[in-house]
Each structure stands twice: as C-alpha cells, then as structure tokens.
Amino acid sequence: MSLTLLNVIFAVVVAIAFAAANAAYLVWAERRGAARIQRRPGPNINGPFGLLQPPLDGIKLMAKQLIIPGGADKVLFIAAPVLAMYPAIMSFVTIPFSDTIVAHNINVGILMIFAFASTGSMSLIFAGWSSRNKYSMMSAVRAVSQSVAYEIPMLITTITVVMIAGSMDLMEIVHQQSRSILHWNIFPLLGNSHNILMPASFLIFFICTLAETNRAPFDLGEAESELVAGFHTEYGSMGFGLFFMGEYANIVIGACMTTILFLGGWSCPFGLFPGVWWFLLKLYLLIATFIWIRWTFPRTTIYGLLNLSWKILIPLSLVNLLLTAGLIKVF
Amino acid sequence: MSSPIQLQPDETFVLNVGPQHPATHGVLRVKMEMNGEYIVDAETVIGYIHRMHEKMGENKTYPQYLMNLSRMDYLGALGYSHGHVLVVEKAAGIEVPERAEYIRAIMVELNRVASHLFWFGAFVMDLGGFSPLMYALQDREYILDMLEAVTGSRLTYCYFRFGGLYNDIDDDFIDAARRFIPRMRKSLIKYDKLVTGNIIFRKRLEGNALLSKETCRKYGASSAVARGSGINFDVRKNEPYSVYPDFDFDVPVYHEGDSLARYMVRMEEMEQSLRIIEQGLDKLPDGPIMPKKKPKLIKPPAGDYYQAVETARGSFGVRLVSDGTKTPYRLKLRSPTYSNMHLFDESCRGMMIMDALAFMGSLDLVIPEIDR
C-alpha cells in the first residue's frame, strides 16, 4: 500500500472525526448559547458544563429503534440521512486549515466543495418524498426552491472572489490575502480587488450560507410551527441524528468557506503568528454569529425568502461581479 | 407497497392540522384543503376538550360551580370567575364591599397582563422566534408568584366568592405589585425593541389577514380582534361593571385590521392594565372583603340575568336563568374565543399556510375556552 493512499485514508478518518465532533459539540454550544440568550441554564447536569450531554444524546439516539413508516419508500428513506451527512465530510477533505493542515489540497477546491454542497439538498428531497407525509413533502418542495434560489447568488459571489484571486485553489486564495487585515477580500481598500462593494459581497455570501444550511431565519424546511418538523418529521433514532449532525457539519463548512474566501483564512490580522488558531477563531466566531441570529430573529416567509434572493441578492451579486471584472481590467 | 402520490396541477389535497400540531396551541383541529401551499378552504373542528361546563352549571349548586369557571381559560382565569360571581350577585342581590371590588379589578388586570404576556411569547414563537417567549414567561412568573401568595393557586384560581373574596391582600402583595409596574414597563420597551421593530416580524404581519369591520361584526368578534379592525368596543368602557368607571384608562383601537394591528392592540392593552393596577392600588379603600349580610344558601329569585365582562380574550358573557332553586335552570357561557376562532374558516381562504398560522396566532386562541 502506497504512502499516499495511507495518507488519504488517515485524512478521511480525521475529517470524519472532526465533522462528527464539531457536529456533536455545536449542538451543545447551540443549546448553551440559546440558554444564555434566554436567561436559563441549559444542559448543565451531565459532566462539567453539561459537556457529556452530546455523547449521551448520541448513545440514546443509537439505542432507539428506527421506525420506517408504512408506505414509505424504504431505500430512499434510509439513504436520505446518509446523503445529508456525506457531503460535509467530503468537503472537509479539501479545506485547508493552515499552510500544513490540509487533508488533500486540489487546485479546484472550490468547485469540489460546491459540487458536494449541491448534493446536500438532494437528501432533503429524498427524505421529504420517501416519508409519505404531507408535511415532509411540503418541506421538500420548499427546500428545492430555496436551494435553487440561494445557490445562484452564492456561486456568483464566489466567482467574484475567484476572479480576484485568479485561482480556484483555496490555499492560493488565502495566500493572496495573507499580508494584512486590509488585504482580506472583505475589505476593498488595499485588497486585490479595489471593489468597494466587497463588504456587500461578504454579506450576500453570509446570508446565502444561512439559507443553504437551513438556519433561522431561513429554516423554512423545518419550520416547527408550520410543518411540524419538516422533512425529518418521520425520522427517529440515528436517522434523525444524522440529519442533525449533517446540519451542523454543513454550518461548519459554510463558516469555513466564509473564512477562507473573505476573512483571510489562517492569516493573522496583524501579520503575527499565522496559523490554524486564527482559522479556528474566525470559524467559531462566525458560528457563534449563526447561533446568535437564530435565537434572535423570527422566521421569514417562503415568498419573502424567494423575493430576497431573486430581487435583491442575485441582481446585487451580478452588479458586483461586473464591477469586479471591470476593475480587474482597469488596474 | 408504496404508491407515488400523483396530483393533477389543479387538484387539491386535505392537510390535517391538529389536533396535535405545534401551531394550534392545544387540541384544535383544522382541516385545510390545500392547493400546494395555498389554502383553498379550511374547516375548524372543535370539541376535543369538551368538558360539559354548561351542563355542570345546571347540576351543581352555585358555590360548587365557582371553580369550574377558572378551568375554562387557563391563562386568564380570573376574568371568567369575575363574570360568574357578578351575575350571581346581581341575581341574588348580594352587596359587594368596595374594597373587594377594587381587589377584584386589580387581580383581573394582573391576570390580563399575564395572559397577554403568554400570548405574546407564543405568538412570536409561532413566527419562529423563540427567545421572546422565555422573556415573557419570566415576567409572567412574577405575576403568578404574586397571585399565588394571595389566591393559593397559580393557574386555575378559585379566589372570588359571592359577595367578596376568599382572602385579603397584604402589604407584601401591594409592595410586589408596585415593584412590578415599573419592571413591566421596562420589559414592554424591551419587547418593542426586540420584536415590534424587527423587520422580518413587521413584514410578515403588515397586511396579513385583513379583517373588515363587517366580518368582525358578523362573527361577533371582540377583544383585540375587533379593536384591531377599528371597532371601538370594550365591555369595561361600553357596559361598565364593577369599579371600572372609577379608573382612567384608554381603549387602544387600530383601524388597519391586519395581524400587526391585533398585536399592537394587545401590547398597548398591557400598558393600560398597568395603569388600572396603579390607580387601583392608590385608591384601594379599607374595609371588609366579605359583606356582613350574606344569604347562607344562594337561591336567586326566578328570572333571567346576564352579565358581560371584558376578559383577556374578549367579551365574555354569562347568562343565568334561575327557577328559584339552589341550582341554575340554565347557565349559558358566551366565550369570546369561540366567536373569534370562527373568523378563521372564512378569512384564511387563499392564504399560504404560514400566513394562516400567523393569523391564527394573532387571534389568541385558548382551546379549552372554546370547547368549554
């Protein structure tokens, strides 16, 4: 067995472990964060600060029976949760956490991550369709229109960054931003773009990440007060567990991409000690913002969501793309 | 085993919302005929928690029936008891000491604030925002603690007696109530900043479920549902009872008729209730809380009596037909939510399901009170 293959296997195992640990402990962080916001203690019984809660929850979920409703499409019903989890794990393989910590860097990293992310919404459709439940079905239909609407501005924004960097290699994109905080893609001043609309680009990307990961205020797929639990209404046991973990793993991917594309990856704002800690700091600050937003805002409507995308985000991101293209030609 | 669901483009399907559904807040069932996400027709199905309160009223003696009223509406129980004791006092000719009436008014208004607080939290939760519920429940908890200290229970009070009260309020209660008023005013400002000013919240509610004056009149709607549609009707003002004429308070009225108007009316009603509590505490007279002369056995003379009160959910009426015996011949309870809810069937046609459920939240439904 060649050394490269061993390397890849090791990398995949680490990626799975990282994704699973993050998913489990983000649930804990979310519950503690929500509790802080709502002035209540949250999970604090199992272990110090309730840190044993996620593994115990996992054991409980695994011990439960997986009930497949009568009339459900068995194959798709079982395949859907697996499909929810795998794109996130695959994406971790190519994300560079620092100069050295990257499982397998490929020169079209962005393409690969978006390709896998696009398959994520397939799991929601399968789950909604195969459950044979009207609420699940409605949720699946919403998920389709939502993911179509938000992948477009997200990709256009990403293309803007790719044009600035002139590369689809994630390492390369970070390297170009690494000189100082002013070279980050979010800031237009000294940056590589000179485009004053870059902060807007960052906001568009951030909003799209929220929508793509089905987070509040765009959590229309699983709107509890309308569709009971949306596409995972009929799921119990680890089926539900995988959906849950998939959601959080996707959040980590979304935050990683935002960090790499706009916030300079592992580079330090002041040019000191660049390294993986800066990456993790930015990553978890973004995730904390996700949690903060979720527990503050009410949910949007489905037409409000689609209007926002088609009437505001897509035109704005297109304008930004054109402006950037023009500026690159000029400078 | 599985057969794919095949729908023609114009074909509708029936969505069964409830009796167990997070948005119906209880055991209300709504059969919705849907065309995709749009509601073609809706039918509310009630009766899942029917407990025969009216029939019980015919079988129980007057004092035995006292506790039934607070089981009707678990959020604003005191208002319902108030209506009942008032009609029986009117029928049996029992004089109520002034102090008792003042305390009743204070208690009912506190209970109204508690009820509106819960509604506020649950309504925002219907729209997908969780945190306001927790904030609202903390303020409500303060009221419940106060009420518990005096009445002995936290939710289903049996505090009012024919002619007066079960228990007098003490200085601790008055202190707590005086501390509560500024605290609650601060909270209302906070809710205003957190929720009312939120752009997503406003966009969802502005123009949602427009109810005309005529619709409200047709169904006999009351409370914020009618006042949000421009009908200036509040039993406390229009058919004054108890000591309400002594208080200076306003009835908030909005003319838009949308869900935001209903929301604004309830939020402003909390402030008005605080004003009533403040004035009640200032004016609170000394004296007994039960009349000196009170019949041992309550046997109202034969006749037909009616009393309406303004509860947290709207105008609640008790019609008492007495045949001169120790049990009523008929006790009809006119519950406000029953009328408010039936607006839903007609008004939600053509709406999307998420708007319809926001509309349902704005009606402030308490299901046990509909079914009785």
Side-chain angles (χ1 to χ4, degrees):
Chain A
M1 200 181 273
S2 70
L3 203 62
T4 341
L5 189 62
L6 271 176
N7 257 343
V8 169
I9 291 171
F10 176 72
V12 168
V13 169
V14 169
I16 292 174
F18 183 74
N22 255 299
Y25 276 92
L26 281 182
V27 176
W28 174 84
E30 170 115 56
R31 290 176 65 186
R32 293 287 288 195
R36 271 295 149 94
I37 289 170
Q38 298 173 348
R39 293 187 282 185
R40 58 191 172 83
N44 62 352
I45 303 294
N46 298 314
F49 308 107
L51 276 169
L52 286 179
Q53 191 73 37
L56 292 176
D57 277 346
I59 291 167
K60 185 206 74 176
L61 281 173
M62 278 186 250
K64 284 173 105 176
Q65 186 193 355
L66 180 64
I67 298 168
I68 300 176
D73 189 322
K74 269 187 197 160
V75 178
L76 287 184
F77 190 81
I78 294 170
V82 181
L83 281 175
M85 191 64 193
Y86 101 97
I89 292 172
M90 292 309 289
S91 303
F92 273 118
V93 171
T94 180
I95 285 183
F97 289 87
S98 83
D99 261 334
T100 45
I101 306 176
V102 51
H104 187 72
N105 190 40
I106 50 176
N107 55 7
V108 285
I110 289 182
L111 191 65
M112 180 184 149
I113 285 172
F114 278 105
F116 276 114
S118 298
T119 61
S121 59
M122 215 159 69
S123 80
L124 310 191
I125 299 162
F126 284 174
W129 177 258
S130 65
S131 300
R132 208 188 158 112
N133 178 319
K134 286 167 192 165
Y135 290 111
S136 302
M137 188 67 220
M138 284 167 83
S139 155
V141 174
R142 282 184 184 184
V144 177
S145 49
Q146 183 174 343
S147 91
V148 169
Y150 278 84
E151 252 169 41
I152 297 171
M154 195 176 196
L155 282 170
I156 294 174
T157 319
T158 312
I159 290 170
T160 316
V161 176
V162 168
M163 270 171 33
I164 293 166
S167 166
M168 285 174 102
D169 187 343
L170 293 170
M171 287 279 224
E172 178 61 28
I173 291 174
V174 174
H175 278 304
Q176 291 193 1
Q177 301 177 57
S178 60
R179 258 166 294 167
S180 80
I181 188 168
L182 295 173
H183 287 84
W184 290 3
N185 276 337
I186 181 176
F187 296 111
L189 296 171
L190 289 175
N192 316 307
S193 66
H194 305 285
N195 182 350
I196 50 160
L197 283 179
M198 279 320 272
S201 250
F202 169 74
L203 271 182
I204 293 172
F205 194 86
F206 187 76
I207 292 171
C208 291
T209 312
L210 280 178
E212 276 289 296
T213 51
N214 278 319
R215 289 288 293 186
F218 305 110
D219 56 341
L220 291 155
E222 45 185 304
E224 316 68 16
S225 52
E226 295 144 25
L227 301 181
V228 192
F231 55 86
H232 60 66
T233 307
E234 298 287 353
Y235 282 88
S237 177
M238 237 10 230
F240 168 73
L242 280 177
F243 271 124
F244 216 58
M245 280 169 68
E247 186 190 325
Y248 284 95
N250 278 326
I251 291 166
V252 178
I253 293 292
C256 281
M257 288 303 283
T258 317
T259 311
I260 290 170
L261 293 181
F262 290 97
L263 301 178
W266 59 85
S267 65
C268 168
F270 331 104
L272 295 169
F273 313 115
V276 65
W277 38 86
W278 286 110
F279 189 92
L280 293 178
L281 179 72
K282 291 167 192 172
L283 174 69
Y284 290 116
L285 277 178
L286 276 173
I287 291 172
T289 319
F290 277 35
I291 293 174
W292 182 22
I293 287 174
R294 168 156 180 198
W295 298 101
T296 309
F297 286 111
R299 189 181 304 119
T300 54
T301 52
I302 182 77
Y303 49 85
L305 173 106
L306 296 179
N307 277 347
L308 176 69
S309 172
W310 292 101
K311 291 185 181 165
I312 299 173
L313 296 187
I314 291 180
L316 197 62
S317 55
L318 275 174
V319 166
N320 202 4
L321 180 70
L322 283 175
L323 192 66
T324 311
L327 286 169
I328 285 175
K329 204 80 188 151
V330 172
F331 289 99
Chain B
M1 188 162 159
S2 67
S3 58
I5 310 159
Q6 283 179 335
L7 281 178
Q8 299 302 316
D10 55 345
E11 202 175 330
T12 58
F13 63 93
V14 175
L15 186 70
N16 192 28
V17 181
Q20 268 98 37
H21 186 280
T24 56
H25 298 298
V27 283
L28 174 69
R29 178 179 167 215
V30 189
K31 265 163 70 182
M32 286 181 180
E33 203 185 328
M34 309 283 296
N35 182 1
E37 287 235 14
Y38 287 93
I39 296 170
V40 179
D41 202 3
E43 183 191 347
T44 41
V45 184
I46 57 171
Y48 285 92
I49 191 165
H50 181 50
R51 289 145 301 160
M52 289 164 272
H53 276 313
E54 289 187 5
K55 186 66 192 166
M56 276 192 250
E58 293 168 23
N59 295 333
K60 287 179 161 185
T61 62
Y62 290 93
Q64 277 174 340
Y65 191 64
L66 267 175
M67 39 67 74
N68 275 57
L69 265 297
S70 55
R71 264 75 175 168
M72 271 182 69
D73 179 350
Y74 51 87
L75 292 180
L78 280 169
Y80 293 78
S81 308
H82 200 191
H84 179 233
V85 292
L86 282 176
V87 75
V88 175
E89 281 155 7
K90 194 197 259 180
I94 303 170
E95 283 283 314
V96 187
E98 210 186 3
R99 183 180 170 84
E101 271 300 357
Y102 267 92
I103 295 174
R104 278 180 185 179
I106 292 168
M107 290 300 197
V108 169
E109 293 307 319
L110 275 175
N111 207 195
R112 189 192 310 278
V113 176
S115 166
H116 279 3
L117 276 173
F118 199 99
W119 162 81
F120 162 76
F123 180 48
V124 183
M125 200 174 75
D126 277 351
L127 301 173
F130 287 85
S131 302
L133 176 70
M134 294 293 164
Y135 297 153
L137 285 184
Q138 276 184 343
D139 286 331
R140 178 171 173 266
E141 196 66 19
Y142 194 100
I143 303 179
L144 293 190
D145 285 346
M146 277 196 300
L147 292 180
E148 185 189 12
V150 176
T151 66
S153 43
R154 292 170 66 81
L155 215 58
T156 52
Y157 316 97
C158 188
Y159 180 53
F160 299 156
R161 297 285 184 270
F162 301 125
L165 305 165
Y166 152 69
N167 195 2
D168 200 353
I169 58 174
D170 50 13
D171 289 341
D172 285 350
F173 176 87
I174 294 174
D175 284 351
R178 285 204 189 281
R179 273 202 307 275
F180 172 71
I181 291 164
R183 177 198 154 119
M184 187 64 216
R185 289 206 166 117
K186 238 166 102 183
S187 291
L188 283 173
I189 294 170
K190 189 171 69 195
Y191 299 153
D192 215 48
K193 281 183 187 158
L194 179 65
V195 178
T196 318
N198 186 309
I199 179 159
I200 298 176
F201 182 80
R202 289 191 88 90
K203 281 224 165 182
R204 281 197 68 172
L205 296 187
E206 267 169 9
N208 171 26
L210 289 167
L211 294 178
S212 64
K213 265 187 189 180
E214 287 66 42
T215 320
C216 290
R217 290 227 168 86
K218 192 163 81 183
Y219 285 94
S222 50
S223 85
V225 180
R227 290 196 281 276
S229 294
I231 298 174
N232 187 355
F233 179 81
D234 187 316
V235 185
R236 288 172 295 177
K237 282 269 186 207
N238 296 58
E239 300 162 16
Y241 57 94
S242 187
V243 284
Y244 281 107
D246 297 357
F247 296 129
D248 171 34
F249 67 99
D250 302 321
V251 178
V253 177
Y254 278 75
H255 293 272
E256 288 86 352
D258 55 5
S259 291
L260 188 66
R262 293 186 274 281
Y263 168 86
M264 293 307 291
V265 168
R266 288 209 182 85
M267 296 310 273
E268 283 177 28
E269 266 177 17
M270 279 197 249
E271 168 59 27
Q272 298 305 325
S273 289
L274 292 181
R275 276 177 69 190
I276 296 176
I277 297 164
E278 217 168 23
Q279 292 168 40
L281 291 172
D282 289 341
K283 291 181 182 173
L284 190 66
D286 286 332
I289 53 160
M290 285 297 270
K292 288 196 193 90
K293 235 174 55 195
K294 191 179 154 251
K296 280 242 164 56
L297 190 63
I298 292 169
K299 268 189 186 178
D304 200 338
Y305 311 94
Y306 182 78
Q307 176 68 49
V309 290
E310 183 77 22
T311 65
R313 249 149 289 286
S315 108
F316 169 66
V318 191
R319 181 182 175 197
L320 170 68
V321 183
S322 170
D323 52 3
T325 57
K326 61 181 180 177
T327 57
Y329 174 75
R330 174 84 170 95
L331 194 78
K332 161 76 185 152
L333 306 169
R334 189 257 178 220
S335 65
T337 322
Y338 183 83
S339 311
N340 290 353
M341 183 202 65
H342 282 289
L343 281 164
F344 184 79
D345 290 6
E346 189 186 298
S347 309
C348 78
R349 281 179 204 147
M351 277 189 196
M352 284 180 113
I353 182 165
M354 55 194 340
D355 287 336
L357 293 175
F359 169 39
M360 189 189 262
S362 78
L363 293 176
D364 191 10
L365 304 181
V366 169
I367 313 303
E369 195 251 25
I370 301 173
D371 287 346
R372 278 163 286 163

